[in-house]
Amino acid sequence: MNTKFPERSFPVFSPVAEHSVLVEFGDRIDRDIHAQVLRLNRALAAAPFDGFLEAIPAYASILIRFDPLLCDHAMAVGKARQLLDHDLPAVSKPNLHEVLVCYDDALAPDLAAVAKSIGLSCEAVIKAHLAAQYDVFMYGFAPGYAYLAGVPQRLQLPRKPAAMRDVAAGSVLIAGPQCLVSTLTMPTGWWNIGRSSTRILTDDAHKPFLFDVGDRVRFRRISRAEYEAGK
Amino acid sequence: MSEAILSVSFAGPHVSVQDGGRAGLMRYGVPASGPMDRRSFAAANIALGNPADAPGVEVSLGGLALECVSGTVSFAVAGGGFIVEHAGSRRSSWSIATLRAGEKLTIRPGPWGSWCYLAFAGRLQSQQWLGSAATHAISGFGGGRLTAGARLSIADPARHAKREGGIPCPVSARPRQQVRVVLGPQQRFFDAAAISAFLSENWSMTDAWDRMGVRLAGPAIPPQAALDMPSEPIVRGSVQINGDGVATVLLADHQTTGGYPKIATVLDCDLDSFVQLRPRDAVAFRPVSPAEAISLSRTIAMGTSAYLHAIAGKGRDARAET
Protein backbone atom coordinates (compact mmCIF):
# COMPACT_ATOMS: atom_id res chain seq x y z
CA MET A 1 0.00 0.00 0.00
CA ASN A 2 0.89 3.68 -0.20
CA THR A 3 2.87 3.10 -3.37
CA LYS A 4 3.96 6.45 -4.79
CA PHE A 5 2.85 7.06 -8.33
CA PRO A 6 5.29 8.41 -10.85
CA GLU A 7 4.71 12.14 -11.26
CA ARG A 8 2.17 12.84 -13.96
CA SER A 9 2.31 15.94 -16.04
CA PHE A 10 -1.06 17.68 -16.06
CA PRO A 11 -3.38 18.04 -17.80
CA VAL A 12 -3.84 14.29 -18.28
CA PHE A 13 -6.40 13.14 -20.87
CA SER A 14 -7.85 9.64 -20.39
CA PRO A 15 -10.37 7.87 -22.64
CA VAL A 16 -13.50 6.56 -20.89
CA ALA A 17 -15.48 3.79 -22.66
CA GLU A 18 -16.62 4.88 -26.16
CA HIS A 19 -18.14 8.19 -25.11
CA SER A 20 -15.98 10.32 -22.85
CA VAL A 21 -12.61 11.84 -22.08
CA LEU A 22 -11.52 12.61 -18.50
CA VAL A 23 -9.30 15.68 -18.23
CA GLU A 24 -7.36 15.86 -14.95
CA PHE A 25 -5.61 19.03 -13.82
CA GLY A 26 -4.18 17.66 -10.58
CA ASP A 27 -4.70 15.05 -7.93
CA ARG A 28 -5.77 17.06 -4.89
CA ILE A 29 -8.49 19.45 -3.74
CA ASP A 30 -7.09 22.90 -4.41
CA ARG A 31 -8.54 26.24 -5.52
CA ASP A 32 -5.97 26.81 -8.30
CA ILE A 33 -6.52 23.33 -9.73
CA HIS A 34 -10.27 23.82 -9.55
CA ALA A 35 -9.90 27.15 -11.34
CA GLN A 36 -8.51 25.24 -14.32
CA VAL A 37 -11.51 22.89 -14.23
CA LEU A 38 -13.81 25.94 -14.27
CA ARG A 39 -11.89 27.46 -17.14
CA LEU A 40 -12.37 24.44 -19.40
CA ASN A 41 -15.97 24.11 -18.19
CA ARG A 42 -16.69 27.69 -19.30
CA ALA A 43 -14.85 27.29 -22.57
CA LEU A 44 -16.86 24.18 -23.47
CA ALA A 45 -20.12 25.93 -22.60
CA ALA A 46 -19.16 28.90 -24.77
CA ALA A 47 -17.91 26.83 -27.71
CA PRO A 48 -19.29 23.28 -27.68
CA PHE A 49 -17.84 21.13 -30.49
CA ASP A 50 -19.85 18.92 -32.85
CA GLY A 51 -21.01 15.87 -30.93
CA PHE A 52 -20.39 17.42 -27.49
CA LEU A 53 -23.06 16.18 -25.05
CA GLU A 54 -22.15 17.41 -21.58
CA ALA A 55 -19.27 18.23 -19.26
CA ILE A 56 -19.17 17.11 -15.63
CA PRO A 57 -16.82 19.23 -13.50
CA ALA A 58 -15.34 17.73 -10.31
CA TYR A 59 -12.65 18.87 -7.85
CA ALA A 60 -9.59 18.39 -10.02
CA SER A 61 -11.01 16.96 -13.23
CA ILE A 62 -13.76 17.36 -15.77
CA LEU A 63 -15.40 14.62 -17.83
CA ILE A 64 -16.33 15.50 -21.41
CA ARG A 65 -19.07 13.31 -22.87
CA PHE A 66 -19.59 13.11 -26.62
CA ASP A 67 -21.77 11.23 -29.10
CA PRO A 68 -19.63 8.39 -30.52
CA LEU A 69 -21.58 8.58 -33.79
CA LEU A 70 -20.30 12.11 -34.36
CA CYS A 71 -17.00 12.34 -32.53
CA ASP A 72 -14.22 10.21 -31.07
CA HIS A 73 -11.69 10.45 -28.23
CA ALA A 74 -8.92 11.95 -30.33
CA MET A 75 -11.25 14.67 -31.67
CA ALA A 76 -12.52 15.48 -28.17
CA VAL A 77 -8.98 15.69 -26.79
CA GLY A 78 -7.97 17.90 -29.72
CA LYS A 79 -10.89 20.25 -29.06
CA ALA A 80 -10.17 20.40 -25.32
CA ARG A 81 -6.47 21.18 -25.96
CA GLN A 82 -7.44 23.88 -28.44
CA LEU A 83 -9.76 25.50 -25.89
CA LEU A 84 -7.08 25.32 -23.18
CA ASP A 85 -4.51 26.92 -25.46
CA HIS A 86 -6.68 29.92 -26.18
CA ASP A 87 -7.07 32.97 -24.03
CA LEU A 88 -10.55 32.88 -22.64
CA PRO A 89 -12.76 35.92 -22.25
CA ALA A 90 -12.53 37.56 -18.84
CA VAL A 91 -14.49 35.80 -16.16
CA SER A 92 -17.44 37.67 -14.77
CA LYS A 93 -17.73 37.80 -10.99
CA PRO A 94 -19.11 34.51 -9.67
CA ASN A 95 -22.71 34.54 -8.45
CA LEU A 96 -22.98 34.85 -4.68
CA HIS A 97 -25.80 32.98 -2.97
CA GLU A 98 -27.05 33.44 0.57
CA VAL A 99 -28.12 30.22 2.25
CA LEU A 100 -30.24 30.48 5.40
CA VAL A 101 -29.35 28.25 8.32
CA CYS A 102 -30.88 27.66 11.74
CA TYR A 103 -28.44 26.38 14.37
CA ASP A 104 -31.12 25.60 16.96
CA ASP A 105 -30.18 22.58 19.11
CA ALA A 106 -33.04 20.46 17.82
CA LEU A 107 -31.96 21.05 14.20
CA ALA A 108 -28.20 20.78 14.84
CA PRO A 109 -27.69 17.37 16.43
CA ASP A 110 -23.87 17.33 16.04
CA LEU A 111 -23.11 20.97 16.84
CA ALA A 112 -22.24 20.31 20.50
CA ALA A 113 -20.03 17.32 19.59
CA VAL A 114 -18.17 19.38 16.98
CA ALA A 115 -17.67 22.22 19.48
CA LYS A 116 -16.42 19.79 22.12
CA SER A 117 -13.97 17.96 19.89
CA ILE A 118 -12.31 21.17 18.72
CA GLY A 119 -12.48 22.92 22.09
CA LEU A 120 -14.71 25.82 21.12
CA SER A 121 -18.13 26.94 22.29
CA CYS A 122 -21.14 26.24 20.06
CA GLU A 123 -21.45 29.98 19.41
CA ALA A 124 -17.80 30.13 18.30
CA VAL A 125 -18.36 27.24 15.88
CA ILE A 126 -21.42 29.01 14.46
CA LYS A 127 -19.50 32.27 14.15
CA ALA A 128 -16.65 30.56 12.29
CA HIS A 129 -19.06 28.74 9.99
CA LEU A 130 -20.85 32.01 9.17
CA ALA A 131 -17.64 33.98 8.68
CA ALA A 132 -16.36 31.81 5.84
CA GLN A 133 -17.12 32.15 2.16
CA TYR A 134 -17.62 28.89 0.27
CA ASP A 135 -17.00 27.87 -3.34
CA VAL A 136 -19.27 25.42 -5.16
CA PHE A 137 -16.66 22.88 -6.30
CA MET A 138 -18.90 20.19 -7.72
CA TYR A 139 -22.13 18.26 -7.40
CA GLY A 140 -22.13 14.56 -6.61
CA PHE A 141 -23.58 11.70 -4.62
CA ALA A 142 -27.22 12.59 -5.22
CA PRO A 143 -29.29 15.22 -7.08
CA GLY A 144 -28.47 18.71 -5.83
CA TYR A 145 -25.70 17.62 -3.44
CA ALA A 146 -23.33 20.55 -3.99
CA TYR A 147 -19.90 20.21 -2.40
CA LEU A 148 -18.92 23.59 -0.95
CA ALA A 149 -15.23 24.08 -0.20
CA GLY A 150 -14.15 26.60 2.42
CA VAL A 151 -14.81 25.22 5.89
CA PRO A 152 -12.33 27.14 8.14
CA GLN A 153 -9.29 25.12 9.20
CA ARG A 154 -10.29 24.88 12.86
CA LEU A 155 -13.72 23.44 12.03
CA GLN A 156 -12.26 20.69 9.86
CA LEU A 157 -12.98 17.25 11.28
CA PRO A 158 -12.75 13.83 9.65
CA ARG A 159 -16.15 12.26 8.99
CA LYS A 160 -17.81 10.35 11.82
CA PRO A 161 -16.77 6.71 12.29
CA ALA A 162 -20.30 5.50 11.49
CA ALA A 163 -23.01 6.96 9.28
CA MET A 164 -26.26 8.18 10.85
CA ARG A 165 -29.43 6.99 9.17
CA ASP A 166 -32.27 9.17 7.91
CA VAL A 167 -30.58 12.55 8.19
CA ALA A 168 -33.22 15.08 7.12
CA ALA A 169 -33.17 16.93 3.80
CA GLY A 170 -31.90 20.50 4.32
CA SER A 171 -29.26 19.45 6.86
CA VAL A 172 -26.10 21.58 6.85
CA LEU A 173 -23.26 19.06 6.96
CA ILE A 174 -19.51 19.45 7.32
CA ALA A 175 -16.56 17.06 6.93
CA GLY A 176 -12.96 18.09 6.36
CA PRO A 177 -12.80 21.27 4.26
CA GLN A 178 -16.25 20.62 2.79
CA CYS A 179 -19.77 21.69 3.60
CA LEU A 180 -23.02 20.68 1.94
CA VAL A 181 -26.74 21.24 2.30
CA SER A 182 -28.51 17.93 1.75
CA THR A 183 -31.52 17.66 -0.55
CA LEU A 184 -32.80 14.19 0.35
CA THR A 185 -33.28 12.26 3.57
CA MET A 186 -30.24 9.97 3.50
CA PRO A 187 -27.65 8.34 5.71
CA THR A 188 -24.45 10.35 6.19
CA GLY A 189 -21.23 10.23 8.18
CA TRP A 190 -20.83 14.03 8.00
CA TRP A 191 -21.40 16.32 11.01
CA ASN A 192 -24.89 17.85 11.07
CA ILE A 193 -24.51 21.40 12.42
CA GLY A 194 -27.72 23.11 11.31
CA ARG A 195 -30.78 23.09 9.08
CA SER A 196 -31.46 25.26 6.07
CA SER A 197 -34.75 26.44 4.68
CA THR A 198 -33.07 27.37 1.38
CA ARG A 199 -34.00 24.95 -1.41
CA ILE A 200 -31.13 23.76 -3.57
CA LEU A 201 -33.64 21.87 -5.75
CA THR A 202 -35.66 24.96 -6.54
CA ASP A 203 -38.69 23.49 -8.36
CA ASP A 204 -38.14 26.28 -10.89
CA ALA A 205 -38.12 24.71 -14.36
CA HIS A 206 -35.86 27.47 -15.70
CA LYS A 207 -33.31 27.17 -12.89
CA PRO A 208 -33.89 23.82 -11.19
CA PHE A 209 -30.62 23.90 -9.20
CA LEU A 210 -29.76 26.90 -7.05
CA PHE A 211 -26.01 26.82 -7.68
CA ASP A 212 -23.76 26.42 -10.68
CA VAL A 213 -20.30 24.99 -10.18
CA GLY A 214 -18.02 28.00 -9.59
CA ASP A 215 -20.63 30.03 -7.67
CA ARG A 216 -19.94 31.38 -4.15
CA VAL A 217 -22.01 30.77 -1.04
CA ARG A 218 -22.36 32.52 2.33
CA PHE A 219 -24.54 31.32 5.17
CA ARG A 220 -26.90 33.64 7.10
CA ARG A 221 -28.23 32.69 10.51
CA ILE A 222 -31.99 32.53 11.03
CA SER A 223 -34.08 31.82 14.12
CA ARG A 224 -36.16 28.72 14.62
CA ALA A 225 -39.29 30.79 13.95
CA GLU A 226 -37.84 32.09 10.66
CA TYR A 227 -36.85 28.55 9.72
CA GLU A 228 -40.35 27.22 10.40
CA ALA A 229 -41.89 30.08 8.44
CA GLY A 230 -39.54 29.64 5.49
CA LYS A 231 -39.35 25.87 5.06
CA MET B 1 -60.69 12.28 -23.67
CA SER B 2 -60.88 8.56 -23.14
CA GLU B 3 -58.61 6.68 -20.80
CA ALA B 4 -57.81 3.17 -19.63
CA ILE B 5 -57.30 2.55 -15.92
CA LEU B 6 -55.13 -0.27 -14.61
CA SER B 7 -54.76 -1.29 -11.00
CA VAL B 8 -51.49 -2.82 -9.74
CA SER B 9 -52.21 -5.89 -7.61
CA PHE B 10 -48.55 -6.83 -7.06
CA ALA B 11 -45.19 -5.25 -7.89
CA GLY B 12 -41.80 -6.60 -6.85
CA PRO B 13 -38.98 -4.31 -5.77
CA HIS B 14 -37.39 -2.08 -8.44
CA VAL B 15 -40.51 -1.95 -10.63
CA SER B 16 -40.86 1.65 -11.80
CA VAL B 17 -41.97 4.06 -14.49
CA GLN B 18 -39.18 4.93 -16.95
CA ASP B 19 -38.83 6.88 -20.16
CA GLY B 20 -35.86 7.83 -22.34
CA GLY B 21 -34.18 9.37 -19.26
CA ARG B 22 -32.94 12.87 -18.34
CA ALA B 23 -29.58 13.19 -20.02
CA GLY B 24 -27.30 16.18 -19.62
CA LEU B 25 -27.75 16.92 -15.91
CA MET B 26 -24.83 14.97 -14.44
CA ARG B 27 -23.13 18.25 -13.54
CA TYR B 28 -25.92 18.76 -10.97
CA GLY B 29 -25.57 15.30 -9.45
CA VAL B 30 -28.37 13.83 -11.57
CA PRO B 31 -27.69 10.64 -13.55
CA ALA B 32 -29.71 10.00 -16.72
CA SER B 33 -31.71 7.14 -15.14
CA GLY B 34 -34.12 5.66 -17.73
CA PRO B 35 -34.43 1.96 -18.54
CA MET B 36 -31.68 -0.45 -17.48
CA ASP B 37 -31.99 -2.13 -20.92
CA ARG B 38 -32.65 0.86 -23.16
CA ARG B 39 -32.81 -1.19 -26.38
CA SER B 40 -35.58 -3.54 -25.19
CA PHE B 41 -37.51 -0.56 -23.78
CA ALA B 42 -37.31 1.19 -27.16
CA ALA B 43 -38.42 -2.03 -28.87
CA ALA B 44 -41.59 -2.25 -26.73
CA ASN B 45 -42.52 1.34 -27.61
CA ILE B 46 -41.56 1.24 -31.29
CA ALA B 47 -43.41 -2.04 -31.87
CA LEU B 48 -46.59 -0.29 -30.71
CA GLY B 49 -45.99 2.77 -32.87
CA ASN B 50 -44.98 4.97 -29.89
CA PRO B 51 -41.95 7.27 -29.76
CA ALA B 52 -38.97 5.18 -28.54
CA ASP B 53 -38.73 7.17 -25.30
CA ALA B 54 -42.42 7.28 -24.30
CA PRO B 55 -43.08 6.49 -20.60
CA GLY B 56 -43.53 2.78 -19.84
CA VAL B 57 -43.07 0.36 -16.98
CA GLU B 58 -39.78 -1.35 -16.13
CA VAL B 59 -40.36 -4.78 -14.57
CA SER B 60 -37.60 -6.35 -12.47
CA LEU B 61 -37.06 -9.98 -11.46
CA GLY B 62 -39.67 -9.21 -8.78
CA GLY B 63 -42.46 -9.27 -11.36
CA LEU B 64 -45.69 -7.32 -11.82
CA ALA B 65 -49.39 -8.15 -11.76
CA LEU B 66 -52.16 -5.77 -12.72
CA GLU B 67 -55.77 -5.68 -13.73
CA CYS B 68 -57.54 -3.51 -16.25
CA VAL B 69 -60.27 -1.64 -14.38
CA SER B 70 -61.72 0.19 -17.36
CA GLY B 71 -61.00 0.86 -21.01
CA THR B 72 -59.25 -1.12 -23.74
CA VAL B 73 -55.59 -0.68 -24.59
CA SER B 74 -52.98 -2.57 -26.62
CA PHE B 75 -49.71 -3.26 -24.85
CA ALA B 76 -46.26 -4.54 -25.77
CA VAL B 77 -43.92 -6.56 -23.59
CA ALA B 78 -40.22 -6.72 -24.54
CA GLY B 79 -36.99 -7.49 -22.74
CA GLY B 80 -35.64 -10.72 -21.26
CA GLY B 81 -37.37 -14.08 -21.50
CA PHE B 82 -40.15 -13.25 -19.04
CA ILE B 83 -43.49 -15.05 -18.85
CA VAL B 84 -46.59 -13.04 -19.67
CA GLU B 85 -49.97 -14.30 -18.51
CA HIS B 86 -52.87 -12.40 -19.92
CA ALA B 87 -56.58 -13.19 -19.85
CA GLY B 88 -55.99 -16.91 -19.40
CA SER B 89 -53.30 -17.27 -22.07
CA ARG B 90 -49.60 -17.59 -21.53
CA ARG B 91 -46.87 -16.29 -23.82
CA SER B 92 -43.34 -15.06 -23.64
CA SER B 93 -42.20 -11.46 -23.51
CA TRP B 94 -41.69 -9.91 -26.98
CA SER B 95 -45.35 -9.78 -27.82
CA ILE B 96 -48.24 -7.40 -28.34
CA ALA B 97 -51.82 -8.01 -27.22
CA THR B 98 -54.83 -5.98 -26.06
CA LEU B 99 -55.97 -5.60 -22.48
CA ARG B 100 -59.68 -5.12 -21.78
CA ALA B 101 -61.64 -4.19 -18.67
CA GLY B 102 -61.69 -7.06 -16.19
CA GLU B 103 -58.61 -8.79 -17.65
CA LYS B 104 -55.49 -9.55 -15.65
CA LEU B 105 -51.91 -9.22 -16.84
CA THR B 106 -48.99 -10.82 -15.02
CA ILE B 107 -45.32 -10.52 -15.96
CA ARG B 108 -42.85 -12.73 -14.10
CA PRO B 109 -39.32 -13.98 -14.66
CA GLY B 110 -38.98 -16.79 -17.17
CA PRO B 111 -35.99 -18.65 -18.59
CA TRP B 112 -33.64 -15.67 -18.96
CA GLY B 113 -33.14 -11.98 -18.38
CA SER B 114 -33.44 -9.56 -15.48
CA TRP B 115 -35.45 -6.66 -16.92
CA CYS B 116 -38.64 -6.53 -18.96
CA TYR B 117 -40.65 -3.58 -20.32
CA LEU B 118 -44.35 -2.93 -20.61
CA ALA B 119 -45.48 -0.21 -23.00
CA PHE B 120 -48.99 0.94 -23.81
CA ALA B 121 -50.65 2.24 -26.98
CA GLY B 122 -51.56 5.60 -25.48
CA ARG B 123 -49.96 8.03 -23.05
CA LEU B 124 -49.08 6.60 -19.65
CA GLN B 125 -49.85 9.45 -17.26
CA SER B 126 -46.85 9.99 -15.04
CA GLN B 127 -45.21 12.52 -12.79
CA GLN B 128 -42.27 14.26 -14.42
CA TRP B 129 -39.11 15.66 -12.87
CA LEU B 130 -36.82 17.90 -14.92
CA GLY B 131 -38.75 17.05 -18.05
CA SER B 132 -38.63 13.28 -17.70
CA ALA B 133 -40.80 10.55 -16.17
CA ALA B 134 -37.76 8.32 -15.56
CA THR B 135 -37.73 7.23 -11.93
CA HIS B 136 -34.52 7.97 -10.05
CA ALA B 137 -34.68 5.20 -7.46
CA ILE B 138 -33.02 6.70 -4.39
CA SER B 139 -34.96 9.98 -4.52
CA GLY B 140 -38.16 8.56 -5.99
CA PHE B 141 -38.26 11.58 -8.33
CA GLY B 142 -39.95 11.03 -11.69
CA GLY B 143 -42.82 8.65 -12.41
CA GLY B 144 -42.05 6.65 -9.28
CA ARG B 145 -41.90 3.07 -8.12
CA LEU B 146 -44.98 0.93 -8.59
CA THR B 147 -46.46 -0.75 -5.54
CA ALA B 148 -49.58 -2.79 -4.91
CA GLY B 149 -52.65 -0.59 -5.06
CA ALA B 150 -51.16 1.91 -7.48
CA ARG B 151 -53.28 2.95 -10.44
CA LEU B 152 -52.01 3.57 -13.93
CA SER B 153 -53.93 5.80 -16.24
CA ILE B 154 -53.40 5.68 -20.00
CA ALA B 155 -54.73 8.65 -21.90
CA ASP B 156 -56.09 8.15 -25.43
CA PRO B 157 -55.71 4.36 -25.32
CA ALA B 158 -55.70 2.67 -28.71
CA ARG B 159 -56.22 -0.85 -29.91
CA HIS B 160 -53.71 -1.87 -32.57
CA ALA B 161 -55.25 -5.11 -33.80
CA LYS B 162 -52.84 -5.47 -36.71
CA ARG B 163 -49.81 -5.13 -34.48
CA GLU B 164 -50.90 -7.96 -32.18
CA GLY B 165 -48.62 -11.01 -32.08
CA GLY B 166 -44.91 -11.50 -31.62
CA ILE B 167 -42.11 -8.94 -31.71
CA PRO B 168 -38.89 -10.47 -33.07
CA CYS B 169 -36.35 -10.77 -30.25
CA PRO B 170 -32.95 -9.80 -31.64
CA VAL B 171 -29.81 -11.72 -30.66
CA SER B 172 -28.45 -8.43 -29.33
CA ALA B 173 -31.15 -8.39 -26.63
CA ARG B 174 -29.71 -11.55 -25.02
CA PRO B 175 -27.43 -11.32 -21.99
CA ARG B 176 -23.71 -10.98 -22.79
CA GLN B 177 -21.28 -13.02 -20.75
CA GLN B 178 -18.36 -11.21 -22.25
CA VAL B 179 -18.48 -7.45 -22.14
CA ARG B 180 -16.01 -5.03 -23.69
CA VAL B 181 -14.20 -2.47 -21.56
CA VAL B 182 -11.77 0.37 -22.07
CA LEU B 183 -9.24 0.25 -19.22
CA GLY B 184 -9.16 3.19 -16.84
CA PRO B 185 -9.45 6.05 -16.21
CA GLN B 186 -7.81 5.14 -12.85
CA GLN B 187 -5.96 1.97 -13.72
CA ARG B 188 -2.80 3.55 -12.27
CA PHE B 189 -4.09 2.46 -8.84
CA PHE B 190 -3.64 -1.19 -9.83
CA ASP B 191 -0.53 -3.27 -10.47
CA ALA B 192 -0.10 -5.50 -13.50
CA ALA B 193 -1.24 -8.59 -11.58
CA ALA B 194 -4.51 -6.91 -10.54
CA ILE B 195 -5.23 -5.72 -14.08
CA SER B 196 -4.45 -9.14 -15.46
CA ALA B 197 -6.74 -10.76 -12.85
CA PHE B 198 -9.50 -8.31 -13.76
CA LEU B 199 -9.22 -9.20 -17.45
CA SER B 200 -8.60 -12.95 -17.24
CA GLU B 201 -10.59 -14.24 -14.27
CA ASN B 202 -14.22 -15.19 -14.39
CA TRP B 203 -16.47 -12.88 -12.46
CA SER B 204 -20.06 -13.41 -11.53
CA MET B 205 -23.05 -11.22 -10.82
CA THR B 206 -24.27 -11.19 -7.19
CA ASP B 207 -27.54 -10.58 -5.37
CA ALA B 208 -26.28 -7.10 -4.43
CA TRP B 209 -27.89 -5.30 -7.36
CA ASP B 210 -30.24 -2.43 -7.89
CA ARG B 211 -30.67 0.39 -10.39
CA MET B 212 -27.53 2.10 -9.08
CA GLY B 213 -25.19 -0.79 -9.75
CA VAL B 214 -24.29 -4.44 -9.32
CA ARG B 215 -21.56 -5.87 -7.14
CA LEU B 216 -19.47 -8.62 -8.69
CA ALA B 217 -17.99 -11.74 -7.11
CA GLY B 218 -14.43 -12.58 -8.15
CA PRO B 219 -10.85 -12.14 -7.09
CA ALA B 220 -10.07 -9.32 -4.66
CA ILE B 221 -8.02 -6.70 -6.51
CA PRO B 222 -7.35 -4.02 -3.93
CA PRO B 223 -5.95 -0.70 -5.14
CA GLN B 224 -2.18 -0.46 -4.60
CA ALA B 225 -2.22 3.04 -3.21
CA ALA B 226 -4.01 5.02 -0.54
CA LEU B 227 -7.49 6.05 -1.59
CA ASP B 228 -6.83 9.75 -1.46
CA MET B 229 -7.96 10.76 -4.92
CA PRO B 230 -10.43 13.63 -5.01
CA SER B 231 -13.86 12.46 -6.19
CA GLU B 232 -14.04 12.18 -9.97
CA PRO B 233 -16.97 11.82 -12.34
CA ILE B 234 -18.59 8.39 -12.64
CA VAL B 235 -20.45 7.14 -15.71
CA ARG B 236 -22.93 4.37 -16.35
CA GLY B 237 -20.57 1.42 -16.85
CA SER B 238 -17.77 2.54 -14.52
CA VAL B 239 -16.13 -0.48 -12.83
CA GLN B 240 -15.33 0.86 -9.40
CA ILE B 241 -13.04 -1.01 -6.98
CA ASN B 242 -13.45 -0.26 -3.28
CA GLY B 243 -10.70 -0.39 -0.66
CA ASP B 244 -11.27 -4.10 -0.06
CA GLY B 245 -10.79 -4.87 -3.74
CA VAL B 246 -14.48 -5.57 -4.47
CA ALA B 247 -15.73 -4.57 -7.94
CA THR B 248 -19.04 -2.82 -8.63
CA VAL B 249 -20.38 -1.87 -12.06
CA LEU B 250 -22.33 1.41 -11.86
CA LEU B 251 -25.64 1.46 -13.73
CA ALA B 252 -28.60 3.70 -14.67
CA ASP B 253 -29.05 5.51 -11.32
CA HIS B 254 -25.33 5.78 -10.52
CA GLN B 255 -23.82 8.45 -8.31
CA THR B 256 -22.31 11.10 -10.55
CA THR B 257 -18.98 11.38 -8.70
CA GLY B 258 -17.01 9.14 -6.39
CA GLY B 259 -13.64 8.67 -4.78
CA TYR B 260 -12.99 5.00 -5.54
CA PRO B 261 -10.73 4.24 -8.49
CA LYS B 262 -12.31 2.94 -11.67
CA ILE B 263 -10.16 0.15 -13.13
CA ALA B 264 -12.15 0.12 -16.38
CA THR B 265 -15.38 1.28 -18.01
CA VAL B 266 -17.82 -1.08 -19.72
CA LEU B 267 -18.77 0.14 -23.19
CA ASP B 268 -22.16 1.82 -23.06
CA CYS B 269 -23.21 -0.22 -26.11
CA ASP B 270 -22.69 -3.47 -24.13
CA LEU B 271 -24.57 -2.37 -21.00
CA ASP B 272 -28.10 -3.23 -22.20
CA SER B 273 -26.98 -6.85 -22.60
CA PHE B 274 -24.87 -6.84 -19.44
CA VAL B 275 -27.83 -5.89 -17.21
CA GLN B 276 -29.86 -8.84 -18.53
CA LEU B 277 -27.42 -11.22 -16.77
CA ARG B 278 -28.83 -12.70 -13.58
CA PRO B 279 -27.30 -13.09 -10.12
CA ARG B 280 -24.61 -15.83 -10.22
CA ASP B 281 -24.28 -15.67 -14.03
CA ALA B 282 -20.64 -15.60 -15.11
CA VAL B 283 -19.21 -12.54 -16.83
CA ALA B 284 -15.78 -11.70 -18.25
CA PHE B 285 -14.27 -8.38 -19.30
CA ARG B 286 -12.48 -8.05 -22.61
CA PRO B 287 -10.28 -4.99 -23.18
CA VAL B 288 -10.60 -2.98 -26.38
CA SER B 289 -8.80 0.16 -27.47
CA PRO B 290 -10.73 3.46 -27.47
CA ALA B 291 -10.77 3.35 -31.29
CA GLU B 292 -12.17 -0.19 -31.30
CA ALA B 293 -14.75 0.94 -28.73
CA ILE B 294 -15.94 3.72 -31.04
CA SER B 295 -16.16 1.40 -33.99
CA LEU B 296 -18.05 -1.28 -32.01
CA SER B 297 -20.49 1.30 -30.74
CA ARG B 298 -21.16 2.58 -34.27
CA THR B 299 -21.74 -0.96 -35.57
CA ILE B 300 -24.10 -1.78 -32.70
CA ALA B 301 -25.98 1.53 -33.13
CA MET B 302 -26.52 0.74 -36.82
CA GLY B 303 -27.85 -2.72 -35.94
CA THR B 304 -30.20 -1.32 -33.31
CA SER B 305 -31.46 1.34 -35.63
CA ALA B 306 -32.12 -1.16 -38.44
CA TYR B 307 -33.90 -3.49 -36.01
CA LEU B 308 -36.12 -0.73 -34.59
CA HIS B 309 -36.90 0.46 -38.10
CA ALA B 310 -37.96 -3.06 -39.10
CA ILE B 311 -40.29 -3.58 -36.14
CA ALA B 312 -41.77 -0.10 -36.56
CA GLY B 313 -42.73 -1.08 -40.09
CA LYS B 314 -44.84 -4.00 -39.00
CA GLY B 315 -48.39 -2.78 -38.71
CA ARG B 316 -47.44 0.69 -39.92
CA ASP B 317 -50.44 0.60 -42.21
CA ALA B 318 -52.66 -0.69 -39.46
CA ARG B 319 -55.38 1.69 -38.46
CA ALA B 320 -55.84 2.23 -34.78
CA GLU B 321 -59.26 1.10 -33.70
CA THR B 322 -60.52 2.54 -30.49
Side-chain angles (χ1 to χ4, degrees), chain A residues 1-222:
Chain A
M1 294 298 276
N2 294 318
T3 309
K4 280 276 171 238
F5 296 127
E7 283 291 308
R8 296 187 297 157
S9 123
F10 296 107
V12 173
F13 298 85
S14 310
V16 176
E18 80 273 43
H19 52 65
S20 301
V21 167
L22 180 70
V23 187
E24 292 169 87
F25 293 100
D27 47 18
R28 58 190 202 285
I29 301 178
D30 172 284
R31 279 207 157 86
D32 292 337
I33 294 171
H34 192 252
Q36 298 178 63
V37 172
L38 291 179
R39 190 168 164 255
L40 183 53
N41 181 46
R42 277 194 309 272
L44 285 163
F49 54 86
D50 281 348
F52 170 81
L53 292 178
E54 63 179 318
I56 301 106
Y59 289 119
S61 60
I62 184 167
L63 186 88
I64 303 173
R65 275 186 77 97
F66 57 82
D67 179 347
L69 299 182
L70 302 175
C71 186
D72 62 30
H73 303 89
M75 287 162 69
V77 169
K79 293 292 181 188
R81 279 190 194 281
Q82 219 173 52
L83 292 171
L84 288 170
D85 287 346
H86 276 74
D87 285 336
L88 292 161
V91 185
S92 55
K93 264 188 96 175
N95 290 317
L96 179 64
H97 302 272
E98 188 176 69
V99 172
L100 306 178
V101 52
C102 173
Y103 296 98
D104 224 53
D105 289 351
L107 301 179
D110 297 329
L111 184 58
V114 169
K116 192 170 169 220
S117 64
I118 56 181
L120 289 177
S121 67
C122 286
E123 275 306 314
V125 170
I126 293 169
K127 217 170 145 192
H129 186 247
L130 288 170
Q133 182 166 273
Y134 300 81
D135 289 318
V136 180
F137 264 27
M138 65 167 201
Y139 279 89
F141 187 60
Y145 271 58
Y147 289 74
L148 312 176
V151 172
Q153 192 82 46
R154 46 200 173 125
L155 299 193
Q156 295 187 9
L157 286 175
R159 58 177 60 200
K160 294 191 268 186
M164 296 289 294
R165 296 176 64 119
D166 295 338
V167 174
S171 293
V172 178
L173 307 169
I174 57 170
Q178 305 177 99
C179 181
L180 76 74
V181 182
S182 69
T183 58
L184 303 173
T185 298
M186 293 266 256
T188 180
W190 291 30
W191 303 90
N192 186 354
I193 63 162
R195 187 83 64 81
S196 179
S197 56
T198 302
R199 306 268 320 247
I200 315 293
L201 302 178
T202 61
D203 275 343
D204 173 355
H206 300 290
K207 180 97 176 72
F209 302 90
L210 183 62
F211 313 130
D212 278 310
V213 171
D215 286 356
R216 298 255 159 88
V217 173
R218 292 197 80 105
F219 289 95
R220 180 161 75 81
R221 188 175 191 172
I222 53 170

Side-chain angles (χ1 to χ4, degrees), chain B residues 239-259:
Chain B
V239 185
Q240 177 180 279
I241 310 292
N242 74 9
D244 296 329
V246 176
T248 298
V249 182
L250 280 304
L251 298 170
D253 286 352
H254 65 88
Q255 299 181 16
T256 55
T257 57

